[in-house]
Structures are given as C-alpha cells and as structure tokens.
C-alpha cells in the first residue's frame, strides 16, 4: 500500500474522533476565537509556563509580542478574490508552542532543538528529516505568516503565494487528501497529517494545551465550544 493511501486510510478511520474535538481550521461566526483568548493572556501563559520549569527560561525579547502577530495576521491569512480567509489563530498559536517548546527552541532536556530561534521558523517547516535544517525566515512577522499560511493550506484554501517553500511543495498533495474528508478540515485532521501517523498524540497534546490555557484564563470554558 502506498504512503499516500495509508495516510488517507488513517484520516478516514472512524476512530479519528479527535478531529471533532478540535475546531475547524477556518474561522467563522460560529467558529470564532473566544474573547478570553487575548494576546496579553497568551504571553502571560508562555512566561508562567517557562518560569515554572525546574530550570526557568526566558524567551528572547523579540518574541514578546508574537501573540499579537498571530492575532493580526490570523484574522486574514489569505485574500482570494472578494474574500478574506482567517484561521483559528489561537490553535495555531498553541501549535507553535508545541513546536518551539514555548518559544524556548529547546528540547525537554534543555538541549537546543533542531530548529534554532534565529530561523524564525515557528512550526518546524522544512525540518521533516532528522538532522536536516528547516527553513529560515528573515524576521518574526514573516515566520508567523509562513506558519499561518501552512495551517490555512490544510483547509483546502488555495495559498497563491506561499512564503514557505514547504507549503509550495506539499500544497497540492495535502489538499487532495483533505478534500476527500468531505467536511470542514479541523486541527485534529491537521495533527494527524502533520505527524503522518495514526497515534493522535500530537492532536491530544494540542487539545491538552488549549485546555490548560482555558483553565487559567477562560473559567474552564472549552475553547472548542461554539
């Protein structure tokens, strides 16, 4: 069985209930970022988590307003004719925290991760092979846009001019697979394809992180409630 067919089977398995536990990628009136999710709260969440580690860590100052960038860019990632397409940028932000270990760019044991902070690569784009460097973006805003474009690409929304080379490379194949779901693509679907496995650990991590934030800043309101 070919790799793409195996992946498609995983995506369509009834056991993929996690897809319904995470929100659709595309934001809408019925799938909006909750008001309790504000950039200041997100950055406080990042700082508090890093300071609670056995060895407290401080993120680089240039990342201090990155949540505001996710909010601003995420509200209108792509502009097809006569339409602005936004994403659930809060979940994209949570995904970024998983990928960068809360903007420390370090592994759990404290050693430097494969993608350095200087690359402004907030989703490990292009770093799909162990030991191979990922893509480099010139500044933080460009790196945020590259990540959000890659996220929106999974929804089957065409990205006319992707910033990331990886987005250009996989856009056609990824969207062919996602269209076969015949429903709105969720962050759960993204998580399954992002790792290319059927274990769902990535999606569960994303859900747990969102719930951890909600417990502190949203009076335990699930961020998937609509």
């Amino acid at each position: 069985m070919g790799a793409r067919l195996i992946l498609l089977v995983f995506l369509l398995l009834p056991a993929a209930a996690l897809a319904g536990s995470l929100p659709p990628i595309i934001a809408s009136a019925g799938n909006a970022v909750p008001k309790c999710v504000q950039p200041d709260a997100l950055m406080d969440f990042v700082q508090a988590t890093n300071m609670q580690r056995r060895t407290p860590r401080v993120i680089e100052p240039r990342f201090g307003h990155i949540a505001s960038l996710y909010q601003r860019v995420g509200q209108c990632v792509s502009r097809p004719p006569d339409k602005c397409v936004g994403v659930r940028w809060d979940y994209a932000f949570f995904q970024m925290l998983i990928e960068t270990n809360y903007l420390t760019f370090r592994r759990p044991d404290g050693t430097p991760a494969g993608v350095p902070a200087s690359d402004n690569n907030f989703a490990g784009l292009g770093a799909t092979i162990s030991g191979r460097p990922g893509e480099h973006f010139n500044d933080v805003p460009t790196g945020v846009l590259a990540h959000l474009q890659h996220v929106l690409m999974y929804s089957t929304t065409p990205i006319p001019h992707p910033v990331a080379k990886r987005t250009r490379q996989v856009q056609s194949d990824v969207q062919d697979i996602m269209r076969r779901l015949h429903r709105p693509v969720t962050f759960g679907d993204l998580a399954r394809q992002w790792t290319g496995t059927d274990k769902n650990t990535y999606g569960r991590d994303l859900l747990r992180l969102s719930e951890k934030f909600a417990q502190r800043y949203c009076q335990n309101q699930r961020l998937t409630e609509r």
Side-chain angles (χ1 to χ4, degrees):
M1 188 181 294
R4 288 185 62 194
L5 182 55
I6 292 174
L7 180 58
L8 178 60
V9 171
F10 286 157
L11 284 169
L12 297 180
L13 281 173
L18 184 64
S21 300
L22 293 167
I25 290 172
I26 294 180
S28 64
N31 184 41
V33 176
K35 292 182 179 180
C36 61
V37 184
Q38 294 296 321
D40 287 348
L42 289 167
M43 297 312 301
D44 181 75
F45 178 63
V46 172
Q47 180 181 11
T49 301
N50 283 329
M51 294 308 292
Q52 289 168 1
R53 298 176 188 271
R54 178 175 298 179
T55 302
R57 300 170 190 164
V58 178
I59 66 173
E60 294 187 17
R62 63 197 184 90
F63 299 143
H65 300 288
I66 194 170
S68 294
L69 283 172
Y70 271 88
Q71 180 187 52
R72 177 170 59 81
V73 179
Q75 290 174 345
C76 192
V77 181
S78 182
R79 296 178 175 84
D82 303 321
K83 187 177 181 181
C84 174
V85 183
V87 304
R88 279 295 300 264
W89 58 266
D90 52 341
Y91 276 85
F93 186 88
F94 295 140
Q95 184 197 14
M96 178 273 291
L97 295 185
I98 293 173
E99 292 286 334
T100 66
N101 195 6
Y102 288 83
L103 287 165
T104 64
F105 292 88
R106 291 184 176 274
R107 298 184 177 92
D109 63 3
T111 59
V115 177
S118 57
D119 279 350
N120 299 307
N121 186 342
F122 303 109
L125 298 178
T128 55
I129 300 176
S130 179
R132 177 179 175 180
E135 295 191 47
H136 170 83
F137 303 106
N138 290 333
D139 50 39
V140 175
T142 303
V144 170
L145 175 60
H147 179 201
L148 290 172
Q149 284 183 336
H150 202 73
V151 168
L152 181 60
M153 176 267 294
Y154 276 79
S155 75
T156 73
T157 299
I159 310 297
H161 305 290
V163 171
K165 179 180 179 181
R166 182 64 178 169
T167 308
R168 296 194 295 271
Q169 289 175 333
V170 304
Q171 179 167 209
S172 179
D173 287 345
V174 168
Q175 294 190 345
D176 281 349
I177 291 171
M178 291 303 185
R179 288 190 187 95
R180 297 176 192 180
L181 295 173
H182 301 295
R183 57 169 173 74
V185 182
T186 73
F187 276 89
D189 301 315
L190 178 150
R192 290 177 69 84
Q193 172 135 353
W194 197 277
T195 58
T197 73
D198 65 335
K199 294 181 180 179
N200 272 335
T201 54
Y202 193 88
R204 286 196 294 270
D205 288 345
L206 187 56
L207 183 60
R208 280 196 294 264
L209 200 157
S210 70
E211 291 175 342
K212 182 180 177 182
F213 175 86
Q215 288 172 1
R216 295 188 186 180
Y217 301 94
C218 301
Q219 290 76 50
N220 286 324
Q221 172 192 348
R222 290 177 63 89
L223 302 187
T224 53
E225 290 179 356
R226 297 189 290 277

